[in-house]
Amino acid sequence: EIVLTQSPGTLSLSPGERATLSCRASQSVSNNYLAWYQQNPGQAPRLLIYGASNRATGIPDRFSGSGSGTDFTLTISRLEPEDFTVYYCQQYISSPRTFGQGTKVEIK
Amino acid sequence: EVQLLESGGGLVQPGGSLRLSCAASGFTFSSYPMGWVRQAPGKGLQWVSSISDTGGGTYYADSVKGRFTVSRDNSKNTLYLQMNSLRAEDTAVYYCVKFTNVGGWYEDYWGQGTLVTVSS
């Protein structure tokens, strides 16, 4: 099973700042089969990024994904008020498909 | 617009059973694999089960294998999850998910979830 470790656990930033979220895999994620999801409290997760760097439909361009192999990054270029929430990475190259434990982006 | 509407959650005693349903609309249901992902209270996300577009292939997390059964009725655009021998650790919000394939199969749409509580 591929274990995904997200860091930091909590990121404290101000609106307008840049957020950099990390996701490290215990084994190589081939073909960059890695996704990022955003989850607001009490709501379902929303797909942000697939294939490590492809934005999903309707996702603002301030969200970008990068990385390969075992190290992946989600970057939010300028934080908007609605971006302060929880983010999860997920690998879908091997079974079982697994998620990271999440990073919470909070207002500083 | 893709819509996934789960139902069937509730309070059940340990060892009991429950069947979840997910009514899908806004896409050609029979063309896409579907699945279930759960989230225990205050915890992260865990994949539970997936099913192929025809229903001929089913897949389970080790933690539910032998207790849960996923199925679908393509004539009714509905996905099911039969949960037997429920345990306290199965307590979670269960999300119905639709898969898509743009280089690998990943979840592109999620329902709002239904809460399953296993407690005496």
Side-chain angles (χ1 to χ4, degrees), chain A residues 33 35 37 39 42-47 50-51 57 88 90 92 95-101, chain B residues 37 39 43-47 50 61 95 99 102-113:
Chain A
Y33 281 1
Y37 297 88
Q39 187 178 31
Q43 295 187 20
R46 177 176 70 146
L47 176 67
Y50 64 92
T57 303
Y88 294 94
Q90 180 212 34
Y92 50 96
S95 184
R97 45 209 306 117
T98 51
F99 295 85
Q101 83 280 16
Chain B
V37 176
Q39 185 171 36
K43 302 297 184 182
L45 301 164
Q46 181 191 26
W47 168 74
S50 304
Y95 294 104
F99 288 91
V102 181
W105 289 101
Y106 56 89
E107 297 86 334
D108 62 342
Y109 288 95
W110 300 57
Q112 283 305 300

Side-chain angles (χ1 to χ4, degrees), chain A residues 29-38 46-68 72-75 88 90 92, chain B residues 100-108:
Chain A
V29 179
S30 306
N31 303 111
N32 287 346
Y33 281 1
L34 187 114
W36 289 93
Y37 297 88
Q38 177 191 64
R46 177 176 70 146
L47 176 67
L48 296 176
I49 301 287
Y50 64 92
S53 61
N54 302 289
R55 272 188 302 276
T57 303
I59 302 304
D61 60 8
R62 64 180 182 273
F63 291 92
S64 63
S66 62
S68 64
F72 298 88
T73 300
L74 175 70
T75 301
Y88 294 94
Q90 180 212 34
Y92 50 96
Chain B
T100 195
N101 182 4
V102 181
W105 289 101
Y106 56 89
E107 297 86 334
D108 62 342

